[in-house]
Amino acid sequence: MSPSRGPLVAGAAVAAAAAVTLTVVVWPEGSGSGTQNGPASAARASASPSPSRSYPLSTTPRTIPAVREHTPARGPGWKPAKDSTVVAADPGLTDEAKLLARELKISYGGEKDPGVGDVQLALAPSGKGGPESYTLRTAGDRVTISGTGQAGVFYGTRTLKQSLNADGSMPEGVVRDTPDRPQRGLNLDIARKHYSVDWIESRLREMADLKLNQLGLHFSDDQAFRIESDTHPEVVSEQHLSKAEVRRIVKLAQSLHITVVGEIDSPGHLGAVLRAHPDLQLRNTQGVARQGAIDISKSASAKIVDDLLNEYAELFPGDWFHVGADEYQALTVSDPAASYPQLATAAREKYGEGATVQDLTEGWLNDRAAVIRKAEKIPKAWNDGFFSGGTVTAHKDIEVEYWTGKEIGARPPQEYLAEGRDVINLNDEYLYYVLGEPNDFTYPTGERIYEQWTPFVLRGTEPVAERYSKQILGGRFAVWGDLPNAQTQEQVAEGIRMPLNAVSQKLWDPREPKLTWAQFEELADSTR
């Protein structure tokens, strides 16, 4: 927590610009020394108000992301005092109340009515806003944070914490706040670069304060397979996370209202799995292997991937699982059927005489998505795994994670949206932090995201039409470990800090930001 700035000052002192100003007005009894007597002075005394305080209208609390609505009021605002406590009006909010009390260095008061100086967390009646919405009222030297869901109440505590960090107080008045997009988060490639549990947990806490709610973990790729496996321990790399460590990460994430989304990419990017199962490697007619590509004509290929999907769908209890589907190397050659006749034959056998290798690949995506659906999760896949013009099309309930328009099979985002698909924004022009900056990538800056990007900018720099707004579910900032030693864990953490702040702002509040980048950057430093 940063040192408080701009505390309330009595009398005529001028407070810091963002703080609430307190003025003490003392009404004089006379113009000279001593007490004046007589009818005139008595009449004047009876007409004069007793000594009182007056306050200017409060200003909007300074937070990242900015609150959507604040109704100002006159009053001193709130800041924790020696006897302040955090109380919960519902037992379901105990964890949120205890966390806030620890952060503010005050006591947790249990489940009871709030007193003067207290903060109360409460669940509001259903029907008043979504589960991530909240109302924060500051009046009478107390704060009440309410919402229809625990997540919303938790986000209200983040607003209170940030306002205290930035300006030393929570301004008087009422905050009504809700996110613009339901999915907001960070995608982390732990396959190509190993990150410690402590490092990941630090990112979760940082995300929570920014009201981000989704962490994607890409843990399988050509370079490594980074999570312990019971079904196929032979595929796991030497440096990996144990299942106990993953459960620890997931438990913290859940307490911070963040969903951890696991990803096993297939039928490409399976190099680590194929090193243990070389018989499943895709090979052309000359016997040349394609890196990371599994032979999807073999039933054993589907079995091992489905074994892993079922195993990790259970390990990650959230609503989603990512099945990859990007960059299948069989489709990058000029004539896939000639180079890989076994795939062409399998396509015709499964989908009919006119079916192609593309259809077999699309069918693979549908089959893997069916495994995830059976596990009662929503499947996600990269946009270049959704093809057009074939016999087989991807199921509509697979969420499209749009990252590029440059890869084989990739299409303009408008095409996916016009098909009625839901899309999540991972635009590689703004949201890809690729270690070592290979392939013309450059490290994205928070300033560029803040000033140029919106959820509508799915590809390149041009936005799609606003009529597709309801289908754009949100976005994630992505860290990829192509050259894993290019940065240390500490350098990655610092490099992504301001981009995450900017992404948080743009996914929570659809309006043009009021602060300049310099002001936003200063605020990010003061709210930490």
Side-chain angles (χ1 to χ4, degrees), residues 484-501:
N485 297 323
Q487 288 192 341
T488 65
Q489 290 187 110
E490 291 72 22
Q491 287 173 322
V492 173
E494 183 56 31
I496 69 175
R497 187 178 71 85
M498 285 310 301
L500 277 179
N501 275 264

PDB file of all heavy atoms in Angstrom, residues 484-501:
ATOM      1  N   PRO A 484      12.435 -17.735 -24.146  1.00  0.00           N
ATOM      2  CA  PRO A 484      12.133 -17.657 -22.707  1.00  0.00           C
ATOM      3  C   PRO A 484      13.179 -16.954 -21.872  1.00  0.00           C
ATOM      4  O   PRO A 484      12.852 -16.400 -20.813  1.00  0.00           O
ATOM      5  CB  PRO A 484      11.981 -19.119 -22.292  1.00  0.00           C
ATOM      6  CG  PRO A 484      12.694 -19.904 -23.346  1.00  0.00           C
ATOM      7  CD  PRO A 484      12.519 -19.134 -24.610  1.00  0.00           C
ATOM      8  N   ASN A 485      14.427 -16.971 -22.295  1.00  0.00           N
ATOM      9  CA  ASN A 485      15.482 -16.350 -21.496  1.00  0.00           C
ATOM     10  C   ASN A 485      15.700 -14.883 -21.832  1.00  0.00           C
ATOM     11  O   ASN A 485      16.604 -14.244 -21.285  1.00  0.00           O
ATOM     12  CB  ASN A 485      16.786 -17.125 -21.670  1.00  0.00           C
ATOM     13  CG  ASN A 485      16.675 -18.552 -21.153  1.00  0.00           C
ATOM     14  OD1 ASN A 485      16.019 -18.806 -20.145  1.00  0.00           O
ATOM     15  ND2 ASN A 485      17.293 -19.495 -21.861  1.00  0.00           N
ATOM     16  N   ALA A 486      14.879 -14.346 -22.721  1.00  0.00           N
ATOM     17  CA  ALA A 486      15.043 -12.939 -23.100  1.00  0.00           C
ATOM     18  C   ALA A 486      14.745 -12.005 -21.933  1.00  0.00           C
ATOM     19  O   ALA A 486      15.292 -10.897 -21.858  1.00  0.00           O
ATOM     20  CB  ALA A 486      14.142 -12.606 -24.283  1.00  0.00           C
ATOM     21  N   GLN A 487      13.875 -12.432 -21.016  1.00  0.00           N
ATOM     22  CA  GLN A 487      13.554 -11.628 -19.834  1.00  0.00           C
ATOM     23  C   GLN A 487      13.437 -12.542 -18.620  1.00  0.00           C
ATOM     24  O   GLN A 487      13.005 -13.691 -18.732  1.00  0.00           O
ATOM     25  CB  GLN A 487      12.239 -10.859 -20.023  1.00  0.00           C
ATOM     26  CG  GLN A 487      12.323  -9.691 -20.996  1.00  0.00           C
ATOM     27  CD  GLN A 487      11.101  -8.798 -20.922  1.00  0.00           C
ATOM     28  OE1 GLN A 487      10.044  -9.180 -20.433  1.00  0.00           O
ATOM     29  NE2 GLN A 487      11.244  -7.577 -21.410  1.00  0.00           N
ATOM     30  N   THR A 488      13.796 -11.996 -17.475  1.00  0.00           N
ATOM     31  CA  THR A 488      13.582 -12.702 -16.212  1.00  0.00           C
ATOM     32  C   THR A 488      12.115 -12.573 -15.804  1.00  0.00           C
ATOM     33  O   THR A 488      11.362 -11.770 -16.370  1.00  0.00           O
ATOM     34  CB  THR A 488      14.454 -12.114 -15.103  1.00  0.00           C
ATOM     35  OG1 THR A 488      14.026 -10.752 -14.854  1.00  0.00           O
ATOM     36  CG2 THR A 488      15.926 -12.115 -15.494  1.00  0.00           C
ATOM     37  N   GLN A 489      11.717 -13.370 -14.810  1.00  0.00           N
ATOM     38  CA  GLN A 489      10.355 -13.244 -14.290  1.00  0.00           C
ATOM     39  C   GLN A 489      10.073 -11.818 -13.816  1.00  0.00           C
ATOM     40  O   GLN A 489       8.992 -11.271 -14.051  1.00  0.00           O
ATOM     41  CB  GLN A 489      10.149 -14.216 -13.128  1.00  0.00           C
ATOM     42  CG  GLN A 489      10.102 -15.677 -13.529  1.00  0.00           C
ATOM     43  CD  GLN A 489       9.728 -16.563 -12.354  1.00  0.00           C
ATOM     44  OE1 GLN A 489       8.642 -17.132 -12.310  1.00  0.00           O
ATOM     45  NE2 GLN A 489      10.619 -16.693 -11.392  1.00  0.00           N
ATOM     46  N   GLU A 490      11.060 -11.221 -13.163  1.00  0.00           N
ATOM     47  CA  GLU A 490      10.881  -9.867 -12.641  1.00  0.00           C
ATOM     48  C   GLU A 490      10.712  -8.869 -13.784  1.00  0.00           C
ATOM     49  O   GLU A 490       9.896  -7.938 -13.699  1.00  0.00           O
ATOM     50  CB  GLU A 490      12.077  -9.473 -11.771  1.00  0.00           C
ATOM     51  CG  GLU A 490      12.179 -10.239 -10.456  1.00  0.00           C
ATOM     52  CD  GLU A 490      12.605 -11.695 -10.631  1.00  0.00           C
ATOM     53  OE1 GLU A 490      13.222 -12.023 -11.688  1.00  0.00           O
ATOM     54  OE2 GLU A 490      12.332 -12.502  -9.729  1.00  0.00           O
ATOM     55  N   GLN A 491      11.453  -9.041 -14.854  1.00  0.00           N
ATOM     56  CA  GLN A 491      11.332  -8.140 -16.005  1.00  0.00           C
ATOM     57  C   GLN A 491       9.973  -8.297 -16.683  1.00  0.00           C
ATOM     58  O   GLN A 491       9.378  -7.309 -17.120  1.00  0.00           O
ATOM     59  CB  GLN A 491      12.464  -8.404 -17.001  1.00  0.00           C
ATOM     60  CG  GLN A 491      13.821  -7.913 -16.529  1.00  0.00           C
ATOM     61  CD  GLN A 491      14.947  -8.349 -17.454  1.00  0.00           C
ATOM     62  OE1 GLN A 491      14.954  -9.464 -17.983  1.00  0.00           O
ATOM     63  NE2 GLN A 491      15.921  -7.462 -17.661  1.00  0.00           N
ATOM     64  N   VAL A 492       9.492  -9.520 -16.757  1.00  0.00           N
ATOM     65  CA  VAL A 492       8.164  -9.732 -17.334  1.00  0.00           C
ATOM     66  C   VAL A 492       7.103  -9.040 -16.479  1.00  0.00           C
ATOM     67  O   VAL A 492       6.215  -8.352 -16.995  1.00  0.00           O
ATOM     68  CB  VAL A 492       7.846 -11.239 -17.449  1.00  0.00           C
ATOM     69  CG1 VAL A 492       6.398 -11.456 -17.901  1.00  0.00           C
ATOM     70  CG2 VAL A 492       8.803 -11.913 -18.428  1.00  0.00           C
ATOM     71  N   ALA A 493       7.199  -9.202 -15.167  1.00  0.00           N
ATOM     72  CA  ALA A 493       6.222  -8.584 -14.271  1.00  0.00           C
ATOM     73  C   ALA A 493       6.187  -7.074 -14.448  1.00  0.00           C
ATOM     74  O   ALA A 493       5.109  -6.466 -14.522  1.00  0.00           O
ATOM     75  CB  ALA A 493       6.539  -8.944 -12.823  1.00  0.00           C
ATOM     76  N   GLU A 494       7.344  -6.458 -14.534  1.00  0.00           N
ATOM     77  CA  GLU A 494       7.391  -5.006 -14.709  1.00  0.00           C
ATOM     78  C   GLU A 494       6.940  -4.605 -16.106  1.00  0.00           C
ATOM     79  O   GLU A 494       6.260  -3.594 -16.296  1.00  0.00           O
ATOM     80  CB  GLU A 494       8.808  -4.487 -14.444  1.00  0.00           C
ATOM     81  CG  GLU A 494       8.950  -2.968 -14.528  1.00  0.00           C
ATOM     82  CD  GLU A 494       8.002  -2.216 -13.614  1.00  0.00           C
ATOM     83  OE1 GLU A 494       7.653  -2.739 -12.532  1.00  0.00           O
ATOM     84  OE2 GLU A 494       7.588  -1.081 -13.983  1.00  0.00           O
ATOM     85  N   GLY A 495       7.306  -5.421 -17.109  1.00  0.00           N
ATOM     86  CA  GLY A 495       6.949  -5.091 -18.481  1.00  0.00           C
ATOM     87  C   GLY A 495       5.462  -5.139 -18.759  1.00  0.00           C
ATOM     88  O   GLY A 495       4.956  -4.397 -19.605  1.00  0.00           O
ATOM     89  N   ILE A 496       4.735  -5.999 -18.058  1.00  0.00           N
ATOM     90  CA  ILE A 496       3.305  -6.140 -18.323  1.00  0.00           C
ATOM     91  C   ILE A 496       2.441  -5.322 -17.363  1.00  0.00           C
ATOM     92  O   ILE A 496       1.220  -5.269 -17.532  1.00  0.00           O
ATOM     93  CB  ILE A 496       2.870  -7.614 -18.282  1.00  0.00           C
ATOM     94  CG1 ILE A 496       2.930  -8.179 -16.862  1.00  0.00           C
ATOM     95  CG2 ILE A 496       3.699  -8.443 -19.255  1.00  0.00           C
ATOM     96  CD1 ILE A 496       2.398  -9.612 -16.756  1.00  0.00           C
ATOM     97  N   ARG A 497       3.046  -4.680 -16.378  1.00  0.00           N
ATOM     98  CA  ARG A 497       2.264  -3.985 -15.355  1.00  0.00           C
ATOM     99  C   ARG A 497       1.373  -2.894 -15.943  1.00  0.00           C
ATOM    100  O   ARG A 497       0.156  -2.878 -15.725  1.00  0.00           O
ATOM    101  CB  ARG A 497       3.194  -3.387 -14.285  1.00  0.00           C
ATOM    102  CG  ARG A 497       2.438  -2.791 -13.094  1.00  0.00           C
ATOM    103  CD  ARG A 497       3.388  -2.266 -12.046  1.00  0.00           C
ATOM    104  NE  ARG A 497       4.074  -1.064 -12.460  1.00  0.00           N
ATOM    105  CZ  ARG A 497       3.565   0.173 -12.327  1.00  0.00           C
ATOM    106  NH1 ARG A 497       2.358   0.338 -11.811  1.00  0.00           N
ATOM    107  NH2 ARG A 497       4.253   1.222 -12.700  1.00  0.00           N
ATOM    108  N   MET A 498       1.949  -1.983 -16.692  1.00  0.00           N
ATOM    109  CA  MET A 498       1.131  -0.897 -17.232  1.00  0.00           C
ATOM    110  C   MET A 498       0.208  -1.354 -18.361  1.00  0.00           C
ATOM    111  O   MET A 498      -0.933  -0.881 -18.452  1.00  0.00           O
ATOM    112  CB  MET A 498       2.015   0.264 -17.673  1.00  0.00           C
ATOM    113  CG  MET A 498       2.577   1.084 -16.514  1.00  0.00           C
ATOM    114  SD  MET A 498       1.323   1.600 -15.288  1.00  0.00           S
ATOM    115  CE  MET A 498       0.196   2.552 -16.306  1.00  0.00           C
ATOM    116  N   PRO A 499       0.630  -2.288 -19.237  1.00  0.00           N
ATOM    117  CA  PRO A 499      -0.351  -2.825 -20.182  1.00  0.00           C
ATOM    118  C   PRO A 499      -1.568  -3.442 -19.502  1.00  0.00           C
ATOM    119  O   PRO A 499      -2.701  -3.266 -19.962  1.00  0.00           O
ATOM    120  CB  PRO A 499       0.463  -3.868 -20.961  1.00  0.00           C
ATOM    121  CG  PRO A 499       1.848  -3.321 -20.960  1.00  0.00           C
ATOM    122  CD  PRO A 499       2.003  -2.701 -19.589  1.00  0.00           C
ATOM    123  N   LEU A 500      -1.366  -4.159 -18.390  1.00  0.00           N
ATOM    124  CA  LEU A 500      -2.506  -4.729 -17.675  1.00  0.00           C
ATOM    125  C   LEU A 500      -3.411  -3.643 -17.105  1.00  0.00           C
ATOM    126  O   LEU A 500      -4.639  -3.766 -17.120  1.00  0.00           O
ATOM    127  CB  LEU A 500      -2.025  -5.646 -16.544  1.00  0.00           C
ATOM    128  CG  LEU A 500      -1.666  -7.086 -16.917  1.00  0.00           C
ATOM    129  CD1 LEU A 500      -1.181  -7.833 -15.684  1.00  0.00           C
ATOM    130  CD2 LEU A 500      -2.847  -7.807 -17.545  1.00  0.00           C
ATOM    131  N   ASN A 501      -2.815  -2.580 -16.591  1.00  0.00           N
ATOM    132  CA  ASN A 501      -3.616  -1.455 -16.108  1.00  0.00           C
ATOM    133  C   ASN A 501      -4.472  -0.875 -17.236  1.00  0.00           C
ATOM    134  O   ASN A 501      -5.656  -0.584 -17.053  1.00  0.00           O
ATOM    135  CB  ASN A 501      -2.707  -0.370 -15.528  1.00  0.00           C
ATOM    136  CG  ASN A 501      -2.333  -0.595 -14.080  1.00  0.00           C
ATOM    137  OD1 ASN A 501      -2.952  -0.061 -13.163  1.00  0.00           O
ATOM    138  ND2 ASN A 501      -1.301  -1.395 -13.859  1.00  0.00           N
TER     139      ASN A 501
END
